[in-house]
Amino acid sequence: HNNKGFCSSNQGNEGEPMILVDMTILSNSVIHNKFDKMSVNDSKAASDLRRKIESKYDTYASDALLLADRAVIPCGTTVWRDALVCLRNETPGHYFSPIFSSNSNRKNSAA
């Protein structure tokens, strides 16, 4: 299928709700993957930010400004892996991370 269409169509209601976050936007470009789209330049900073977002999941998941800027992208637990690949391809240099709600059955709902 067409990955660009997949990403642009905002298919976020498949599986349990979760979010994909653009760590590059949220860190003012401190966290990025400019040199390798499958890695991150500062794993400690990314981990710290991920923990912060997880602890305030509902706040981030419902923030209208972050949603409008696509810093936070609603997703579903059955489609997040494909969406992540698509976002990395569409937005070179940006590091995206999946964030799961604490009451989700977590990431392995996908096939």
Side-chain angles (χ1 to χ4, degrees):
H1 71 252
N2 177 338
N3 280 345
K4 186 126 178 111
F6 176 85
C7 286
S8 302
S9 66
N10 198 12
Q11 298 178 358
N13 297 325
E14 298 182 21
E16 294 184 50
M18 58 169 290
I19 55 177
L20 296 174
V21 296
D22 186 332
M23 306 277 266
T24 304
I25 291 175
L26 294 177
S27 70
N28 293 316
S29 298
V30 171
I31 299 169
H32 63 78
N33 66 356
K34 291 179 182 169
F35 309 110
D36 178 357
K37 72 179 180 179
M38 301 307 288
S39 68
V40 65
N41 67 311
D42 187 336
S43 58
K44 180 174 180 348
S47 180
D48 291 346
L49 181 55
R50 190 178 306 110
R51 277 196 287 280
K52 176 184 171 187
I53 296 167
E54 285 171 344
S55 72
K56 298 178 181 181
Y57 176 88
D58 291 333
T59 300
Y60 280 85
S62 62
D63 186 301
L65 289 175
L66 294 177
L67 291 164
D69 287 345
R70 287 181 52 97
V72 172
I73 301 164
C75 198
T77 54
T78 61
V79 297
W80 73 269
R81 288 180 179 91
D82 288 339
L84 190 62
V85 168
C86 183
L87 289 165
R88 287 177 177 163
N89 288 334
E90 280 188 359
T91 318
H94 284 242
Y95 180 70
F96 292 88
S97 180
I99 306 290
F100 302 92
S101 166
S102 59
N103 52 12
S104 161
N105 282 334
R106 296 293 282 179
K107 50 197 145 214
N108 291 324
S109 298

